[in-house]
């Protein structure tokens, strides 16, 4: 049985969980938090979540995990069968994960965790995000899904990460860069919320937050 290790607040954990649920792949969730302990590093070399435990060993990096699942369960059609469509889905995922989320991640300390980021970082990330969001806008359709009329695996990435980009920029700069650029991620998320897999991911995230709140 596949074991998905991580926790329900992690967007990358939730991206993989969404894919597993969406395609009815049997799995078990194992609560693991990021850590630099040797006991963790033997499973996830950078101490990050998610990682997957399989009969053959551990695998980290959410996109490598999704690719592994697609190869292991070909009948589930995680990516489109058409090679061009599948490549465009991967392109969108790369934009969401790397160009948008990973860039916005530099702001999370101040946006979500009560810390501060330097003005230099704010300036650098503002420029980078403006550039990356403009590029994303050249390929993302939001009609209503990222690739167009049909839900695709790219929406698992979009669903868990676009809100973080919007909320982080709102918190740090006082304006939501995605909304400002005309990308209504709130409506997009609402559309995807119609899917049972998305509902489960969101309910579990909310339950995790509620349980972690000091009483
Ligand atoms: N590229 C990785 C990113 C994973 C990641 O950054 N996970 C976060 C939680 S959302 C984490 O473990 N952070 C702890 C750290 O960076 O040390 C993936 O796609 O799985």
């Amino acid at each position: 049985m596949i074991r998905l290790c991580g926790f329900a607040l992690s967007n990358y954990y939730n991206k993989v969980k969404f894919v597993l649920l969406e395609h009815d792949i049997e799995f078990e969730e194992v609560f693991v938090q990021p850590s630099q302990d040797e006991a963790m590093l033997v499973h996830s070399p950078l101490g990050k979540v998610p990682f997957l435990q399989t009969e053959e060993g551990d695998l980290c990096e959410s996109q490598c995990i999704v690719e592994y699942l697609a190869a292991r369960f070909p009948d589930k059609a995680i990516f489109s069968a058409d090679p061009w469509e599948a490549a465009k889905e991967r392109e969108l995922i790369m934009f969401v994960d790397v160009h948008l989320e990973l860039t916005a991640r530099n702001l999370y300390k101040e946006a979500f965790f009560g810390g501060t980021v330097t003005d230099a970082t704010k300036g650098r990330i503002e420029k980078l995000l403006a550039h990356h969001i403009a590029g994303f806008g050249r390929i993302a359709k939001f009609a209503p899904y990222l690739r167009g009329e049909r839900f695709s695996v790219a929406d698992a990435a979009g669903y868990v990460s676009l809100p973080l980009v919007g909320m982080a920029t709102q918190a740090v700069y006082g304006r939501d860069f995605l909304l400002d650029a005309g990308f209504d991620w709130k409506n997009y998320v609402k559309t995807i919320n119609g899917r049972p897999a998305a509902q489960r991911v969101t309910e579990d995230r909310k339950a995790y937050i509620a349980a972690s709140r000091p009483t």
Side-chain angles (χ1 to χ4, degrees), residues 3-6 30-62 64-65:
R3 286 152 61 94
L4 175 63
C5 303
V30 182
F31 178 76
V32 176
Q33 285 187 309
S35 137
Q36 293 301 310
D37 290 350
E38 210 39 57
M40 169 73 167
L41 296 174
V42 296
H43 297 291
S44 175
L46 291 177
K48 293 179 194 263
V49 297
F51 65 91
L52 203 68
Q53 292 191 309
T54 76
E55 306 78 2
E56 292 173 281
D58 300 307
L59 182 66
C60 69
E61 288 295 334
S62 64
C64 300
I65 296 172

Side-chain angles (χ1 to χ4, degrees), residues 7 10-12 34 36 46-50 61-63 97 105:
F7 68 121
S10 156
N11 49 324
Y12 291 106
Q36 293 301 310
L46 291 177
K48 293 179 194 263
V49 297
E61 288 295 334
S62 64
Q63 195 52 29
D97 284 3
R105 190 162 276 262

Side-chain angles (χ1 to χ4, degrees), residues 142-164:
F142 287 97
Y145 300 108
L146 290 186
R147 191 57 200 137
E149 288 175 9
R150 208 175 39 81
F151 174 87
S152 80
V153 62
D155 295 301
Y159 180 74
V160 299
S161 287
L162 293 181
L164 293 174

